[in-house]
Amino acid sequence: MIRLPVRVLPHGAGLPLPAYQTAGAAGMDLVAAVEAPTTIAPGARALVPTGLAIALPEGYEAQVRPRSGLAARHGVTVLNAPGTIDADYRGEVQVILVNHGEEPFVVSRGDRIAQLVVAPVTRAAPVVVEDLDETDRGAGGFGSTGRS
C-alpha cells in the first residue's frame, strides 16, 4: 500500500477522506464538497468539488471513475471517464458529472459521487518505424472483432 498525502481544503472540512468501502474494492469513494445542493438537469454537466488536493508519488496516477450505482439508477456518470490526475498536480480534485438520465439529479454535500483509483504509470518512448508487426486483427477498427 502506498502513502497518499491529502490536503483538506476549507470547503472540504468535516467530510470523509477518500475510502475503500470493502476489503476488495479497487477504488476509494470521493464525496461532494458542495456548499448547497446542486441540481444537474438531464443532458447537463457540472464540475463538482471534492474539497481535497492530493500528492501522488512519482510514477503513479489517480483515475476518477464513475460509481456504477449512480449510472445504473440515475444515468449519472463521470463525463471524461476515467479522468486522470497526474502525479505533479496539486490543485483540487474535481469531478465532471453528466446527467444522461431523464430526471434532474441533485448532488448534496457528502454524497459519494465517484471513485478514485490509484495506479502505477508506465512511460513509453515513441519510436518512428517504417512498418509495424502483423497481427490477425491488423488495422481493423471499431467493431472489427465481432459481437461474440
Side-chain angles (χ1 to χ4, degrees):
M1 185 174 294
I2 66 166
R3 184 174 173 269
L4 180 64
V6 176
R7 184 170 148 236
V8 178
L9 304 174
H11 58 283
L15 293 172
L17 293 177
Y20 298 101
Q21 298 301 310
T22 67
M28 297 178 271
D29 283 341
L30 292 172
V31 302
V34 292
E35 300 292 333
T38 301
T39 301
I40 306 172
R45 62 186 176 268
L47 186 60
V48 181
T50 66
L52 304 172
I54 61 176
L56 289 160
E58 187 174 327
Y60 286 85
E61 67 159 334
Q63 297 176 4
V64 178
R65 298 184 183 181
R67 293 193 68 236
S68 57
L70 288 182
R73 287 192 289 280
H74 304 285
V76 172
T77 190
V78 175
L79 187 59
N80 62 326
T84 298
I85 300 170
D86 296 312
D88 59 352
Y89 177 68
R90 294 296 180 268
E92 182 176 10
V93 174
Q94 298 185 69
V95 179
I96 306 168
L97 291 180
V98 62
N99 183 355
H100 290 301
E102 297 174 0
E103 302 293 328
F105 181 77
V106 177
V107 178
S108 297
R109 184 171 179 80
D111 284 353
R112 293 185 293 167
I113 55 168
Q115 297 183 74
L116 187 72
V117 175
V118 177
V121 172
T122 301
R123 297 190 57 106
V127 178
V128 175
V129 298
E130 291 296 319
D131 293 301
L132 301 175
D133 60 314
E134 294 293 325
T135 66
D136 288 339
R137 183 175 183 180
F142 297 107
S144 65
T145 60
R147 299 188 98 197
S148 55

